[in-house]
Amino acid sequence: MVNGRVWLTAPFRIRIISEGIEKAEGINRLARIIGYRSRIHPAWPLRQILVGKQPFPGDRLVKLAEFTGHDVAEVMKHSVPTARLANENNETALKRYGFNAYSN
């Protein structure tokens, strides 16, 4: 089990969220699958995580890993201690996975 909040490196974080969106067939549906329940904007926290403004809550990261078929231990190898390290190469990774609207 993953406790606390987890920062992931940008290339991996964006890739795993992209895989989840594709499998769920939409970001709102993915957000609901991993536990976000807002009726109005279920994907808002996931969008914030995608662009590196907040870390993953541990329980939601576990759900995303399971949903996308990733081993949690492998996912945790991409964790970093700070937001600064998590957001290195953020713009490049967002563009690489087709999230041009989220990049600066």
Side-chain angles (χ1 to χ4, degrees), residues 1-85:
M1 191 68 190
V2 178
N3 294 321
R5 300 172 72 73
V6 180
W7 290 103
L8 296 175
T9 61
F12 184 78
R13 177 186 72 238
I14 294 165
R15 186 182 90 199
I16 195 171
I17 292 173
S18 178
E19 290 172 8
I21 291 169
E22 190 173 312
K23 186 172 181 180
E25 299 178 347
I27 193 168
N28 285 336
R29 188 155 179 238
L30 176 61
R32 287 188 181 99
I33 288 168
I34 65 172
Y36 292 106
R37 298 288 176 230
S38 171
R39 288 184 185 189
I40 300 168
H41 296 293
W44 180 251
L46 190 55
R47 290 173 197 262
Q48 295 296 96
I49 294 167
L50 176 71
V51 298
K53 291 189 178 179
Q54 66 186 49
F56 267 104
D59 60 333
R60 304 261 163 79
L61 180 57
V62 169
K63 288 179 183 178
L64 178 62
E66 290 171 352
F67 180 69
T68 57
H70 291 274
D71 179 58
V72 176
E74 289 297 317
V75 170
M76 291 306 294
K77 289 181 181 178
H78 297 277
S79 66
V80 291
T82 65
R84 183 185 62 78
L85 290 173

